Amino acid sequence: MPADTTPPPPPPPLRVPVADSHTHLDMQSGTVEDGLAKAAAVGVTTVVQVGCDVAGSRWAAKTAAAHTAVHATVALHPNEAPRIVHGDPDGWSRQGARPAGGEGALDEALAEIDALAALPHVKGVGETGLDYFRTGPGGKAAQERSFRAHIEIAKRHGKALVIHDREAHEDVLRVLKEEGAPERTVFHCYSGDADMAQLCAESGYFMSFAGNVTFKNAKPLRDALAVAPLELVLVETDAPFLTPAPYRGRPNAPYLIPVTLRAMAEVRAIDEDAMAAAISSNTARAFDY
Ligand SMILES: [Zn+2]
Ligand SMILES: [Zn+2]
């Protein structure tokens, strides 16, 4: 049977409006206006548009300037930093293969991110962090150097830090501690267990849950959600990725936030409105808007 790639139907609207704390509108089909309207129609009235490279970060800043419902974050993705230094042998980049630029190219790109981070509608620096799933040992040094630079940029501009942590929990927590985390730090697509949620809570880090919290095999994630302080919990799509059950494999977009949020309310055994109200104020606090 061919995979179903049609967009899932819109869920019933939320009564309390919330924000999608992490999305990639530039990787979704349709116009930004349509995507925002579709989201607003189900109570997702705000989105945080996340940059992954210099071009994407410029686009995020421009899109946030044009739409009050959009806030931007800017960064070089943890998989992007080693590509800038070493080239793109695995072809993972959206922009295709590119020649190795060396450390100087990384410094230039970081300077661009630094300049964008100063803009008023840019509310965060990220997604940055460490990704040991896609980046091999050869790219580790460039990735960590880039992560440390992003932490410094976030702190200097007083912006939130958005963390991408894939199979790198210990090192991400270590680097944050060594550098000193910014006042507001968000673990996007939180992927730790309940023990790590405890550590994040002690440091006041926000934990943003994505559609994978609904997956059958994601019990450790639900256990983490169950123990995380409610005032540190956010929700996100990371769209077009991580479409929540029962729509796994079909395209994700901000209008599907209610599906994930309802599953989260169930895990916490609180009603949907209370979950939405908490998430709404948490996201505004995390990104200071
Ligand atoms: Zn990510
Ligand atoms: Zn992302």
Side-chain angles (χ1 to χ4, degrees), residues 32-53:
V32 168
E33 287 73 17
D34 288 348
L36 293 176
K38 215 172 160 184
V42 297
V44 182
T45 50
T46 305
V47 307
V48 178
Q49 167 64 27
V50 174
C52 291
D53 55 22

Side-chain angles (χ1 to χ4, degrees), residues 54-132:
V54 169
S57 295
R58 280 197 197 114
W59 189 88
K62 191 180 77 182
T63 304
H67 301 274
T68 50
V70 181
H71 302 297
T73 72
V74 296
L76 311 174
H77 191 280
N79 295 317
E80 174 71 4
R83 262 199 307 275
I84 291 172
V85 176
H86 304 292
D88 187 18
D90 58 3
W92 185 85
S93 171
R94 285 182 289 126
Q95 294 160 344
R98 70 171 68 144
E103 299 288 333
L106 180 56
D107 286 333
E108 262 172 56
L110 287 167
E112 296 260 12
I113 297 302
D114 191 350
L116 288 168
L119 297 172
H121 37 272
V122 172
K123 301 296 185 190
V125 173
E127 53 185 294
T128 181
L130 301 173
D131 185 325
Y132 295 165

Side-chain angles (χ1 to χ4, degrees), residues 22 77 127 164 188 238:
H22 188 114
H77 191 280
E127 53 185 294
H164 169 106
H188 119 76
D238 200 16

Side-chain angles (χ1 to χ4, degrees), residues 144-165:
E144 187 167 321
R145 179 157 93 80
S146 176
F147 182 26
R148 289 181 191 274
H150 282 83
I151 296 171
E152 189 275 326
I153 291 169
K155 286 199 285 194
R156 185 156 35 79
H157 293 286
K159 304 289 165 101
L161 182 73
V162 177
I163 303 277
H164 169 106
D165 159 26

